Amino acid sequence: MADQHPVSPEGSASPVAFALRWEEPPEGPVLVLLDQTRLPAEEVDLVCADVPALVEAIRSLAVRGAPLLGIAGAYGIALAASRGFDVAEAAESLAHARPTAVNLGYGVRRAAAAYREAVRGGADDERAAAAALAEARALHREDAEASERMAEHGQALLYELLPAGGLRILTHCNSGSLVSGGEGTALGVVKAVHRSGQLRRLWVDETRPLLQGARLTAYEAARAGMAYTLLSDNAAGSLFSAGEVDAVVIGADRIAADGSVANKVGSYPLAVLARYHHVPFVVVAPTTTIDLETPDGAAIEVEQRPGYEVTDITIPHVPGAGSGAGTGVPVAPLGTQAHNPAFDVTPPELMTAIVTEDGIVSPVTGDGIAELCARSRSGNGMMSI
């Protein structure tokens, strides 16, 4: 049996392939991923039969995006339990596969807790593994539902901020169906605007050095039938200067207690541009991306990626999962050192709002984040603009 949650909008010209699914062939359960390093040239499944394979898929960015990493981490625990591997060891390995995205650890802890609770209750290995799988499936469903609510809240916010309609939205990296159990975070909001007929243009940052915008967001936008235009990251300023951007809408990999947001590197410069040009800057993320244990932006651990991602241009459809040294075309002299942080941190004062499934925080403050989380835990989330 396979878990297949819809990941493309109804009426799309060409549906986006499933980003992740659980399957149970005769030889044992597996987690099947859409290898995102091969997009857009090829839609290729990557089959993970054990946790080391999943960890490598996470590190190589074959599977990526904060919400989807949480889902993958939960299924990874179920995979380890179902195949008789050490669950505690699997949890440790998975939780540290990428340090910045808080959802990964959340998904791992949640499925591992379900497994341990089942064991403490006297469950045998099979039933304990089933408990972990049930928790992973529940997280998968919840994320799809959260996507729908974020799209509703985000769309309403944009229409309130920009009532004239005909929106020209700039986004960075990829935040759609490929990072979620549903339609996504920031790109999910854009899809809702598009379906309502109010999207005039989606500006897609290419997102150097790994081109998630060019390869993945453009892939999703094309299949949704959006009017979109790709631009190099350093061309964004000219768009703002020409008055061609009505709003910036991005996702997040971790939100600190003070409202600071870690997102794909290049997000912070967009926030500065947006502030200077009086353009709304909106972050869209589920509440699982909020980490109250991280007090502020300075405390967010920013992943440092290999230098060859900057010094080489990687060909996305090379054989095998992910990319590695030697698979790209060098564009810098041999031995060049590269600074390659995967993320940067945007301070709360540069944001217009943070949109979650349980409401909106605007202005973005630590008190607002705490209030939202309290309402979320009580089940009484509501918009707080």
Side-chain angles (χ1 to χ4, degrees):
M1 183 177 67
D3 285 322
Q4 296 187 351
H5 295 271
V7 294
S8 63
E10 184 177 347
S12 292
S14 177
V16 175
F18 292 107
L20 175 155
R21 64 187 187 272
W22 175 271
E23 292 189 351
E24 297 179 359
E27 59 271 22
V30 294
L31 188 61
V32 183
L33 312 172
L34 174 64
D35 187 348
Q36 296 189 32
T37 68
R38 308 282 284 274
L39 293 173
E42 300 174 298
E43 293 181 0
V44 177
D45 282 344
L46 176 61
V47 179
C48 298
D50 55 33
V51 168
L54 178 56
V55 168
E56 175 56 27
I58 292 170
R59 287 176 174 163
S60 70
L61 307 185
V63 59
R64 45 158 295 281
L68 192 66
L69 287 177
I71 296 167
Y75 277 120
I77 295 298
L79 185 63
S82 298
R83 286 187 168 265
F85 297 115
D86 188 298
V87 169
E89 182 178 315
E92 181 71 15
S93 177
L94 284 165
H96 294 92
R98 295 195 70 191
T100 305
V102 68
N103 302 65
L104 176 56
Y106 171 80
V108 168
R109 290 191 300 273
R110 185 164 155 178
Y115 174 83
R116 290 193 301 268
E117 184 177 351
V119 170
R120 284 195 297 267
D124 59 17
D125 291 345
E126 183 176 351
R127 287 187 295 157
L133 178 58
E135 197 66 25
R137 285 173 167 160
L139 178 59
H140 202 162
R141 288 192 299 271
E142 290 165 17
D143 188 72
E145 293 164 1
S147 290
E148 293 181 8
R149 297 201 299 274
M150 284 186 287
E152 293 172 1
H153 293 331
Q155 182 182 19
L157 173 66
L158 289 176
Y159 291 169
E160 179 175 339
L161 294 172
L162 303 160
L167 303 185
R168 297 161 299 178
I169 299 174
L170 174 66
T171 194
H172 189 70
C173 197
N174 172 253
S175 55
S177 303
L178 295 173
V179 307
S180 171
E183 289 196 338
T185 58
L187 197 57
V189 172
V190 176
K191 289 174 182 176
V193 173
H194 166 64
R195 284 196 296 269
S196 73
Q198 291 301 317
L199 181 66
R200 178 176 170 189
R201 177 68 48 181
L202 176 63
W203 299 111
V204 180
D205 261 0
E206 63 175 352
T207 320
R208 279 281 292 152
L210 296 181
L211 305 177
Q212 292 96 329
R215 295 189 301 105
L216 306 179
T217 296
Y219 165 86
E220 291 200 47
R223 279 154 178 74
M226 294 182 190
Y228 74 96
T229 299
L230 181 68
L231 63 144
S232 63
D233 295 355
N234 55 10
S238 63
L239 282 180
F240 281 96
S241 180
E244 293 289 336
V245 180
D246 297 312
V248 179
V249 184
I250 66 166
D253 286 82
R254 185 182 296 251
I255 301 174
D258 73 337
S260 296
V261 167
N263 192 55
K264 183 57 57 182
V265 67
S267 300
Y268 171 60
L270 291 178
V272 175
L273 282 166
R275 171 56 62 91
Y276 181 81
H277 291 280
H278 309 289
V279 169
F281 184 90
V282 178
V283 174
V284 185
T287 53
T288 52
T289 302
I290 299 173
D291 180 16
L292 296 179
E293 299 300 315
T294 299
D296 52 35
I300 297 176
E301 180 183 358
V302 174
E303 176 188 357
Q304 298 294 321
R305 300 285 299 175
Y308 65 77
E309 293 179 347
V310 174
T311 60
D312 294 11
I313 298 294
T314 301
I315 309 302
H317 56 276
V318 295
S323 60
T327 63
V329 178
V331 293
L334 184 65
T336 297
Q337 294 186 353
H339 175 59
N340 188 21
F343 308 95
D344 56 25
V345 178
T346 300
E349 59 267 22
L350 292 182
M351 300 174 211
T352 305
I354 292 177
V355 176
T356 77
E357 77 276 23
D358 287 329
I360 297 171
V361 179
S362 181
V364 180
T365 64
D367 288 344
I369 293 291
E371 180 185 347
L372 175 73
C373 289
R375 288 201 312 271
S376 179
R377 286 193 295 268
S378 68
N380 296 315
M382 57 186 294
M383 297 178 73
S384 62
I385 301 178

